[in-house]
Protein backbone atom coordinates (compact mmCIF):
# COMPACT_ATOMS: atom_id res chain seq x y z
CA UNK A 1 0.00 0.00 0.00
CA UNK A 2 2.88 2.32 0.87
CA UNK A 3 4.51 1.58 -2.46
CA UNK A 4 1.25 2.28 -4.27
CA UNK A 5 0.79 5.57 -2.41
CA UNK A 6 4.36 6.63 -3.19
CA UNK A 7 3.86 5.75 -6.84
CA UNK A 8 0.66 7.77 -6.96
CA UNK A 9 2.41 10.72 -5.30
CA UNK A 10 5.28 10.61 -7.79
CA UNK A 11 2.83 10.34 -10.69
CA UNK A 12 0.83 13.31 -9.40
CA UNK A 13 4.00 15.36 -8.96
CA UNK A 14 5.12 14.52 -12.46
CA UNK A 15 1.69 15.40 -13.88
CA UNK A 16 1.69 18.72 -11.99
CA UNK A 17 5.19 19.51 -13.23
CA UNK A 18 4.16 18.71 -16.79
CA UNK A 19 1.34 21.25 -16.50
CA UNK A 20 3.69 24.05 -15.42
CA UNK A 21 4.75 26.47 -18.17
CA UNK A 22 8.12 25.70 -19.70
CA UNK A 23 9.23 29.25 -19.01
CA UNK A 24 8.13 32.79 -18.18
CA UNK A 25 6.03 34.71 -20.69
CA UNK A 26 7.56 37.96 -21.90
CA UNK A 27 4.52 39.84 -20.63
CA UNK A 28 4.87 38.38 -17.13
CA UNK A 29 8.60 39.01 -17.19
CA UNK A 30 8.07 42.64 -18.22
CA UNK A 31 5.64 43.09 -15.34
CA UNK A 32 8.10 41.57 -12.87
CA UNK A 33 10.96 43.73 -14.20
CA UNK A 34 8.84 46.90 -14.24
CA UNK A 35 9.49 47.25 -17.97
CA UNK A 36 7.42 48.40 -20.92
CA UNK A 37 7.11 45.73 -23.60
CA UNK A 38 6.81 46.15 -27.36
CA UNK A 39 6.66 43.09 -29.62
CA UNK A 40 6.66 42.61 -33.37
CA UNK A 41 5.33 39.06 -33.88
CA UNK A 42 5.84 39.23 -37.64
CA UNK A 43 9.56 39.85 -37.30
CA UNK A 44 9.86 37.83 -34.11
CA UNK A 45 11.50 40.48 -31.96
CA UNK A 46 10.67 42.30 -28.74
CA UNK A 47 11.89 45.39 -26.92
CA UNK A 48 11.74 45.85 -23.13
CA UNK A 49 12.49 49.24 -21.61
CA UNK A 50 12.82 50.62 -18.08
CA UNK A 51 14.23 53.92 -16.88
CA UNK A 52 17.73 52.44 -16.78
CA UNK A 53 17.71 49.56 -19.23
CA UNK A 54 16.74 48.66 -22.79
CA UNK A 55 16.75 45.04 -23.97
CA UNK A 56 15.94 43.68 -27.42
CA UNK A 57 15.37 39.96 -27.95
CA UNK A 58 15.19 37.87 -31.13
CA UNK A 59 12.74 35.00 -30.58
CA UNK A 60 14.24 32.51 -33.05
CA UNK A 61 17.94 32.85 -32.20
CA UNK A 62 17.62 33.84 -28.53
CA UNK A 63 20.02 36.70 -29.12
CA UNK A 64 19.52 39.49 -26.60
CA UNK A 65 21.10 42.93 -26.77
CA UNK A 66 21.18 45.06 -23.63
CA UNK A 67 21.54 48.83 -23.85
CA UNK A 68 22.65 48.46 -27.46
CA UNK A 69 25.97 46.85 -26.57
CA UNK A 70 25.80 43.94 -24.10
CA UNK A 71 25.01 40.58 -25.71
CA UNK A 72 23.02 37.80 -24.06
CA UNK A 73 22.87 34.34 -25.60
CA UNK A 74 19.50 33.05 -24.45
CA UNK A 75 17.60 29.93 -25.31
CA UNK A 76 15.29 30.45 -28.31
CA UNK A 77 11.93 31.65 -27.06
CA UNK A 78 9.23 29.00 -27.16
CA UNK A 79 5.74 29.83 -28.40
CA UNK A 80 2.78 29.48 -26.05
CA UNK A 81 -0.80 30.60 -25.67
CA UNK A 82 0.42 33.44 -23.43
CA UNK A 83 3.07 34.55 -25.94
CA UNK A 84 6.81 33.92 -26.29
CA UNK A 85 8.40 32.22 -23.26
CA UNK A 86 11.77 32.96 -21.71
CA UNK A 87 13.54 29.97 -20.19
CA UNK A 88 13.40 30.28 -16.41
CA UNK A 89 17.17 30.44 -16.05
CA UNK A 90 17.30 33.22 -18.68
CA UNK A 91 14.48 35.08 -16.95
CA UNK A 92 16.36 34.95 -13.63
CA UNK A 93 19.56 36.22 -15.26
CA UNK A 94 17.82 39.05 -17.09
CA UNK A 95 15.82 40.02 -14.01
CA UNK A 96 19.09 40.55 -12.11
CA UNK A 97 20.44 42.58 -15.03
CA UNK A 98 17.37 44.83 -15.08
CA UNK A 99 17.83 45.51 -11.35
CA UNK A 100 21.20 47.06 -12.07
CA UNK A 101 21.69 50.58 -13.38
CA UNK A 102 23.03 51.16 -16.87
CA UNK A 103 26.38 51.93 -15.25
CA UNK A 104 26.80 48.26 -14.32
CA UNK A 105 26.29 48.32 -10.54
CA UNK A 106 23.25 48.16 -8.27
CA UNK A 107 21.24 51.36 -7.85
CA UNK A 108 22.33 53.61 -5.03
CA UNK A 109 19.80 54.10 -2.24
CA UNK A 110 18.01 57.37 -1.84
CA UNK A 111 16.72 59.96 -4.29
CA UNK A 112 20.02 60.82 -5.95
CA UNK A 113 18.98 62.80 -9.04
CA UNK A 114 22.23 62.05 -10.89
CA UNK A 115 21.83 58.30 -10.48
CA UNK A 116 18.10 58.42 -11.15
CA UNK A 117 18.66 60.23 -14.45
CA UNK A 118 17.99 57.66 -17.17
CA UNK A 119 19.55 57.57 -20.63
CA UNK A 120 16.04 57.07 -22.02
CA UNK A 121 14.28 60.38 -22.61
CA UNK A 122 11.83 61.10 -19.81
CA UNK A 123 8.58 63.02 -20.30
CA UNK A 124 9.52 65.62 -17.66
CA UNK A 125 12.67 66.55 -19.59
CA UNK A 126 11.56 66.42 -23.19
CA UNK A 127 11.41 69.67 -25.07
CA UNK A 128 10.26 70.92 -28.45
CA UNK A 129 13.42 72.72 -29.52
CA UNK A 130 12.77 73.14 -33.26
CA UNK A 131 9.60 74.03 -35.17
CA UNK A 132 9.72 73.81 -38.96
CA UNK A 133 7.17 75.94 -40.82
CA UNK A 134 6.63 75.04 -44.46
CA UNK A 135 4.83 77.50 -46.74
CA UNK A 136 3.43 75.32 -49.50
CA UNK A 137 4.33 75.89 -53.16
CA UNK A 138 6.24 79.06 -54.18
CA UNK A 139 8.29 80.37 -57.07
CA UNK A 140 7.14 78.91 -60.39
CA UNK A 141 4.58 76.75 -58.54
CA UNK A 142 1.62 78.98 -57.63
CA UNK A 143 -0.40 76.17 -56.09
CA UNK A 144 -4.17 76.56 -56.30
CA UNK A 145 -5.51 79.68 -58.00
CA UNK A 146 -8.85 81.33 -57.31
CA UNK A 147 -10.45 84.04 -59.48
CA UNK A 148 -13.36 85.92 -58.01
CA UNK A 149 -15.36 89.11 -58.43
CA UNK A 150 -15.03 90.89 -55.07
CA UNK A 151 -16.55 94.35 -54.58
CA UNK A 152 -16.75 94.85 -58.34
CA UNK A 153 -13.12 93.89 -58.98
CA UNK A 154 -11.57 90.72 -60.38
CA UNK A 155 -9.28 89.29 -57.73
CA UNK A 156 -6.79 86.48 -58.38
CA UNK A 157 -5.57 84.60 -55.34
CA UNK A 158 -2.51 82.37 -55.48
CA UNK A 159 -1.99 79.74 -52.85
CA UNK A 160 1.77 80.35 -52.71
CA UNK A 161 1.22 83.98 -51.60
CA UNK A 162 -1.28 83.09 -48.92
CA UNK A 163 0.78 80.29 -47.43
CA UNK A 164 3.84 82.53 -47.20
CA UNK A 165 1.89 85.36 -45.54
CA UNK A 166 0.47 83.02 -42.91
CA UNK A 167 3.80 81.29 -42.25
CA UNK A 168 5.69 84.57 -41.86
CA UNK A 169 3.16 85.81 -39.30
CA UNK A 170 3.17 82.47 -37.46
CA UNK A 171 6.97 82.66 -37.37
CA UNK A 172 6.81 86.15 -35.86
CA UNK A 173 4.45 85.01 -33.12
CA UNK A 174 6.55 81.95 -32.30
CA UNK A 175 9.78 83.97 -32.25
CA UNK A 176 8.24 86.36 -29.73
CA UNK A 177 6.77 83.64 -27.52
CA UNK A 178 9.66 81.17 -27.70
CA UNK A 179 12.90 83.16 -28.17
CA UNK A 180 14.93 80.19 -26.93
CA UNK A 181 13.60 77.84 -29.63
CA UNK A 182 14.69 77.44 -33.24
CA UNK A 183 12.02 78.33 -35.79
CA UNK A 184 12.94 77.15 -39.29
CA UNK A 185 11.25 78.28 -42.50
CA UNK A 186 11.52 76.06 -45.57
CA UNK A 187 11.12 79.28 -47.56
CA UNK A 188 10.91 82.93 -46.51
CA UNK A 189 10.44 84.44 -49.97
CA UNK A 190 8.77 83.57 -53.27
CA UNK A 191 11.04 80.64 -54.05
CA UNK A 192 10.32 76.97 -54.71
CA UNK A 193 12.23 74.43 -52.65
CA UNK A 194 11.40 70.91 -53.81
CA UNK A 195 9.45 68.64 -51.48
CA UNK A 196 12.64 66.68 -50.86
CA UNK A 197 14.54 69.87 -49.97
CA UNK A 198 11.85 70.90 -47.49
CA UNK A 199 12.05 67.60 -45.65
CA UNK A 200 15.84 67.52 -45.88
CA UNK A 201 16.02 70.95 -44.23
CA UNK A 202 13.96 69.64 -41.32
CA UNK A 203 16.13 66.54 -40.94
CA UNK A 204 19.30 68.67 -40.95
CA UNK A 205 18.41 70.37 -37.66
CA UNK A 206 20.67 69.47 -34.74
CA UNK A 207 18.87 68.19 -31.64
CA UNK A 208 20.05 67.47 -28.12
CA UNK A 209 19.30 64.17 -26.34
CA UNK A 210 15.98 65.47 -24.96
CA UNK A 211 15.03 67.71 -27.90
CA UNK A 212 12.17 67.18 -30.33
CA UNK A 213 11.16 68.80 -33.60
CA UNK A 214 7.77 69.55 -35.19
CA UNK A 215 6.87 70.00 -38.86
CA UNK A 216 3.88 72.07 -40.01
CA UNK A 217 3.11 72.49 -43.71
CA UNK A 218 0.60 75.23 -44.57
CA UNK A 219 -1.67 75.00 -47.62
CA UNK A 220 -4.99 76.20 -49.01
CA UNK A 221 -7.51 73.91 -50.64
CA UNK A 222 -9.31 73.97 -53.98
CA UNK A 223 -12.31 72.12 -55.38
CA UNK A 224 -14.45 71.89 -58.50
CA UNK A 225 -17.33 72.30 -56.08
CA UNK A 226 -17.40 76.05 -55.52
CA UNK A 227 -19.40 75.54 -52.32
CA UNK A 228 -16.67 73.47 -50.64
CA UNK A 229 -15.21 75.31 -47.66
CA UNK A 230 -13.54 74.77 -44.29
CA UNK A 231 -10.34 73.66 -42.63
CA UNK A 232 -8.63 70.27 -42.76
CA UNK A 233 -5.65 68.83 -40.87
CA UNK A 234 -3.77 65.89 -42.33
CA UNK A 235 -1.29 63.43 -40.87
CA UNK A 236 0.20 60.11 -41.94
CA UNK A 237 -2.12 57.07 -41.60
CA UNK A 238 -1.52 54.68 -38.72
CA UNK A 239 -1.19 51.69 -41.03
CA UNK A 240 1.38 53.36 -43.33
CA UNK A 241 4.75 51.66 -42.74
CA UNK A 242 7.94 53.68 -43.00
CA UNK A 243 11.43 53.96 -41.56
CA UNK A 244 11.81 56.81 -39.09
CA UNK A 245 15.19 55.89 -37.61
CA UNK A 246 18.40 55.19 -39.49
CA UNK A 247 19.06 51.44 -39.68
CA UNK A 248 22.82 51.95 -39.36
CA UNK A 249 22.39 53.75 -36.03
CA UNK A 250 21.11 50.70 -34.13
CA UNK A 251 21.89 46.96 -34.11
CA UNK A 252 19.97 44.96 -36.70
CA UNK A 253 18.16 42.89 -34.09
CA UNK A 254 16.86 46.04 -32.37
CA UNK A 255 15.86 48.01 -35.45
CA UNK A 256 12.42 46.53 -36.33
CA UNK A 257 10.83 46.99 -32.91
CA UNK A 258 12.56 50.28 -32.14
CA UNK A 259 11.52 51.71 -35.52
CA UNK A 260 7.94 50.55 -34.97
CA UNK A 261 7.88 52.06 -31.48
CA UNK A 262 9.24 55.45 -32.59
CA UNK A 263 6.95 55.56 -35.63
CA UNK A 264 3.88 54.88 -33.49
CA UNK A 265 4.95 57.66 -31.15
CA UNK A 266 5.37 60.13 -34.05
CA UNK A 267 1.96 59.18 -35.48
CA UNK A 268 0.24 59.65 -32.13
CA UNK A 269 1.97 63.01 -31.62
CA UNK A 270 1.03 64.06 -35.17
CA UNK A 271 -2.61 63.34 -34.40
CA UNK A 272 -2.36 65.27 -31.12
CA UNK A 273 -0.76 68.20 -32.94
CA UNK A 274 -3.50 68.18 -35.60
CA UNK A 275 -6.13 68.23 -32.85
CA UNK A 276 -4.45 71.16 -31.08
CA UNK A 277 -4.17 73.10 -34.36
CA UNK A 278 -7.85 72.50 -35.11
CA UNK A 279 -8.83 73.70 -31.64
CA UNK A 280 -6.55 76.73 -31.88
CA UNK A 281 -8.16 77.85 -35.13
CA UNK A 282 -11.65 77.09 -33.86
CA UNK A 283 -11.02 79.35 -30.88
CA UNK A 284 -9.63 82.08 -33.16
CA UNK A 285 -12.25 82.00 -35.91
CA UNK A 286 -15.34 81.02 -33.94
CA UNK A 287 -18.32 78.99 -35.05
CA UNK A 288 -18.56 80.66 -38.47
CA UNK A 289 -15.62 78.67 -39.83
CA UNK A 290 -16.34 75.07 -40.82
CA UNK A 291 -14.06 72.39 -39.42
CA UNK A 292 -13.81 69.49 -41.87
CA UNK A 293 -11.91 67.46 -39.31
CA UNK A 294 -8.69 65.51 -38.92
CA UNK A 295 -7.77 63.33 -41.88
CA UNK A 296 -5.18 60.70 -42.78
CA UNK A 297 -3.18 60.61 -46.00
CA UNK A 298 0.50 59.91 -46.73
CA UNK A 299 1.24 63.28 -48.34
CA UNK A 300 4.93 63.49 -49.17
CA UNK A 301 6.02 65.96 -46.50
CA UNK A 302 4.12 64.27 -43.66
CA UNK A 303 5.16 60.72 -44.56
CA UNK A 304 8.82 61.59 -45.20
CA UNK A 305 9.29 63.79 -42.14
CA UNK A 306 10.81 61.70 -39.34
CA UNK A 307 9.03 63.70 -36.66
CA UNK A 308 5.48 64.70 -35.70
CA UNK A 309 4.14 66.35 -38.86
CA UNK A 310 0.85 67.92 -39.95
CA UNK A 311 -0.35 69.43 -43.22
CA UNK A 312 -2.94 72.15 -42.60
CA UNK A 313 -5.44 73.20 -45.31
CA UNK A 314 -6.67 76.60 -44.17
CA UNK A 315 -9.71 77.04 -46.39
CA UNK A 316 -10.82 76.77 -50.02
CA UNK A 317 -9.37 79.33 -52.36
CA UNK A 318 -12.14 78.40 -54.82
CA UNK A 319 -14.96 79.34 -52.42
CA UNK A 320 -16.17 82.91 -52.95
CA UNK A 321 -16.89 83.63 -49.28
CA UNK A 322 -13.57 82.23 -48.05
CA UNK A 323 -11.73 83.95 -50.88
CA UNK A 324 -13.13 87.31 -49.78
CA UNK A 325 -11.80 86.68 -46.26
CA UNK A 326 -8.43 85.62 -47.68
CA UNK A 327 -7.99 89.03 -49.33
CA UNK A 328 -7.99 90.64 -45.90
CA UNK A 329 -4.59 90.82 -44.12
CA UNK A 330 -6.36 90.77 -40.75
CA UNK A 331 -7.92 87.39 -41.57
CA UNK A 332 -4.56 85.92 -42.57
CA UNK A 333 -3.24 87.11 -39.23
CA UNK A 334 -6.12 85.35 -37.51
CA UNK A 335 -5.17 82.12 -39.28
CA UNK A 336 -1.58 82.55 -38.17
CA UNK A 337 -2.62 83.24 -34.60
CA UNK A 338 -4.79 80.12 -34.59
CA UNK A 339 -1.83 78.02 -35.76
CA UNK A 340 0.38 79.63 -33.12
CA UNK A 341 -2.20 78.87 -30.42
CA UNK A 342 -2.37 75.24 -31.48
CA UNK A 343 1.42 74.87 -31.56
CA UNK A 344 1.79 76.52 -28.16
CA UNK A 345 -0.88 74.23 -26.70
CA UNK A 346 0.88 71.15 -28.04
CA UNK A 347 4.22 72.32 -26.65
CA UNK A 348 2.77 72.93 -23.20
CA UNK A 349 1.18 69.48 -23.09
CA UNK A 350 4.21 67.74 -24.59
CA UNK A 351 6.60 69.33 -22.14
CA UNK A 352 4.15 68.92 -19.27
CA UNK A 353 4.29 72.58 -18.40
CA UNK A 354 1.49 73.60 -15.97
Amino acid sequence: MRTLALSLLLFASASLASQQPAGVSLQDFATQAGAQLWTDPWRGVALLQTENRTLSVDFATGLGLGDGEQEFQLQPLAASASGPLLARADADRLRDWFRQTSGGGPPKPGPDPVVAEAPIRQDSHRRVQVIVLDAGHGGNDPGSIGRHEIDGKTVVLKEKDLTLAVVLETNRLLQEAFPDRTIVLTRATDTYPTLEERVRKAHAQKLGPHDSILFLSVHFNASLNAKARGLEFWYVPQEFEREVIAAHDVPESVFPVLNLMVDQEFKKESQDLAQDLAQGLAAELGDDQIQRGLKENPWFVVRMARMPAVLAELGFITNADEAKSLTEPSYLKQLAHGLYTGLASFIRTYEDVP
Side-chain angles (χ1 to χ4, degrees):
M1 179 67 72
R2 229 154 132 199
T3 303
L4 178 59
L6 181 58
S7 298
L8 289 173
L9 180 60
L10 291 173
F11 175 76
S13 299
S15 297
L16 183 61
S18 68
Q19 296 173 10
Q20 296 298 317
V24 180
S25 74
L26 273 180
Q27 185 59 64
D28 287 345
F29 176 81
T31 301
Q32 295 165 9
Q36 286 185 289
L37 171 66
W38 291 270
T39 61
D40 185 342
W42 294 104
R43 295 184 174 94
V45 289
L47 184 74
L48 296 100
Q49 186 178 75
T50 67
E51 286 190 354
N52 299 307
R53 292 295 199 190
T54 300
L55 174 72
S56 63
V57 179
D58 184 280
F59 302 163
T61 64
L63 176 64
L65 193 66
D67 296 335
E69 57 185 11
Q70 183 175 349
E71 288 191 12
F72 295 93
Q73 189 53 62
L74 312 172
Q75 293 185 35
L77 277 66
S80 77
S82 57
L85 297 179
L86 278 170
R88 292 189 178 278
D90 291 336
D92 291 341
R93 182 155 58 110
L94 292 175
R95 197 177 294 111
D96 290 340
W97 179 78
F98 267 107
R99 287 176 181 145
Q100 297 175 342
T101 65
S102 56
K108 294 180 180 179
D112 186 337
V114 176
V115 176
E117 181 72 31
I120 307 301
R121 189 181 70 185
Q122 298 302 296
D123 288 358
S124 59
H125 297 109
R126 62 187 190 173
R127 169 184 174 86
V128 176
Q129 179 56 38
V130 181
I131 303 169
V132 180
L133 300 177
D134 173 42
H137 308 282
N140 58 5
D141 174 15
S144 300
I145 297 177
R147 292 179 174 84
H148 301 275
E149 290 292 324
I150 299 176
D151 296 332
K153 297 180 181 179
T154 300
V155 175
V156 178
L157 295 174
K158 296 180 180 180
E159 183 180 3
K160 69 172 185 176
D161 299 329
L162 300 175
T163 61
L164 184 59
V166 171
V167 160
L168 291 177
E169 177 64 12
T170 306
N171 173 59
R172 185 187 70 79
L173 294 169
L174 289 170
Q175 296 279 8
E176 288 182 359
F178 301 103
D180 56 337
R181 317 295 171 105
T182 302
I183 315 300
V184 177
L185 305 184
T186 60
R187 69 181 182 98
T189 58
D190 187 18
T191 57
Y192 178 72
T194 66
L195 299 180
E196 292 84 356
E197 289 171 338
R198 296 167 197 254
V199 174
R200 195 178 305 127
K201 190 168 189 177
H203 291 161
Q205 303 306 309
K206 303 300 182 185
L207 300 174
H210 304 301
D211 293 343
S212 296
I213 179 171
L214 304 178
F215 188 97
L216 171 61
S217 187
V218 176
H219 289 257
F220 288 84
N221 229 327
S223 175
L224 294 175
N225 178 6
K227 294 183 179 180
R229 61 180 299 169
L231 312 180
E232 298 174 345
F233 303 89
W234 297 83
Y235 51 89
V236 71
Q238 293 295 319
E239 66 274 10
F240 186 85
E241 294 187 5
R242 57 184 181 162
E243 290 187 4
V244 293
I245 59 176
H248 57 76
D249 287 344
V250 295
E252 185 178 354
S253 61
V254 178
F255 175 78
V257 172
L258 189 57
N259 183 74
L260 178 65
M261 177 185 70
V262 174
D263 189 29
Q264 288 176 341
E265 182 179 358
F266 285 165
K267 288 172 179 173
K268 175 64 169 62
E269 290 166 352
S270 296
Q271 186 175 1
D272 291 344
L273 175 58
Q275 183 66 54
D276 285 338
L277 291 169
Q279 291 175 351
L281 280 156
E284 183 69 29
L285 301 176
D287 296 334
D288 292 338
Q289 182 55 267
I290 295 174
Q291 291 273 355
R292 295 168 64 93
L294 312 186
K295 300 177 181 289
E296 295 184 348
N297 194 77
W299 303 117
F300 185 91
V301 290
V302 296
R303 78 169 185 265
M304 297 304 292
R306 299 191 297 270
M307 61 196 70
V310 172
L311 186 150
E313 296 276 10
L314 300 182
F316 280 77
I317 206 169
T318 47
N319 179 280
D321 292 333
E322 290 194 336
K324 185 175 182 179
S325 297
L326 293 173
T327 62
E328 302 171 4
S330 60
Y331 182 75
L332 297 180
K333 288 186 177 182
Q334 278 187 284
L335 292 175
H337 196 272
L339 293 177
Y340 157 75
T341 300
L343 287 164
S345 176
F346 178 88
I347 292 170
R348 283 194 300 271
T349 303
Y350 183 84
E351 297 180 354
D352 198 23
V353 175

